[in-house]
Amino acid sequence: MAEHVHGPLLKYSDPSKHDIDETGRYPLMAEAMRQLLVEKGLLSNKEIREYIDFMDSRGSSVGAQLIARAWTDSAFKKRLLENGTAAVAEFGIAMSGTELVVVENTETVHNVVVCTLCSCYPRTILGLPPDWYKSKAYRSRTVNEPRAVLREFGTDLPDDVTVRVHDSNADMRYLVLPVRPDGTDELTET
């Protein structure tokens, strides 16, 4: 849950002139991989369908629950920041071989996450990544001009706030713990 995301941005939801639409080959590659896994006896068609259905059912509600717990339970927040993978396991969430690193936004530090190689994203926690997250424009511009990108999403940070860009990869996913909104101190986790 990154607090700077306020909805899709046209600049990122429309392919740029530099983006190459490679999505046409993905169904062919997926089907070839499925057939190979089934042929080799590594997975059954049923197991593949169940996993796809599970991943498609994920949404940001799991991430919201984690953030709400961190805002209301200081011991959980400490565990989440120290070892995100172990902390989310308390919710029955397995990171499936990837490490979850949780970074905290503060009054002086704002974190932004990108995957410069593809679109590594904590899907088990936040569901499918938004289209803009996968765009080449977002991936390259966030590294080179993170303040400008954040501004386009509606987050204009003062110059004295440090912006940290975190690059997800095949082995590591990031989750941003936003600053708790003012006026919510009396609210509970649920």
Side-chain angles (χ1 to χ4, degrees), residues 54 58 87-95:
F54 168 75
R58 304 302 284 190
V88 300
E90 296 174 27
F91 277 72
I93 300 166
M95 291 304 298

Side-chain angles (χ1 to χ4, degrees), residues 1-3 63 66-71 76-78 80-81 101-106 109 111 113 174-180:
M1 285 185 60
E3 69 182 25
L66 292 169
I67 299 303
R69 168 77 55 87
W71 284 344
F76 177 75
K77 177 181 176 179
K78 184 176 189 275
L80 187 65
L81 293 170
V101 176
V102 180
V103 292
E104 182 179 19
N105 282 353
T106 67
V109 175
N111 297 280
V113 178
Y174 285 92
L175 179 68
V176 175
L177 175 60
V179 172
R180 186 171 183 168

Side-chain angles (χ1 to χ4, degrees), residues 50-72:
E50 287 172 351
Y51 186 74
I52 290 171
D53 290 345
F54 168 75
M55 288 308 294
D56 287 348
S57 72
R58 304 302 284 190
S60 60
S61 63
V62 174
Q65 291 171 353
L66 292 169
I67 299 303
R69 168 77 55 87
W71 284 344
T72 59

Side-chain angles (χ1 to χ4, degrees), residues 70 111 165 189:
N111 297 280
V165 178
E189 180 182 340

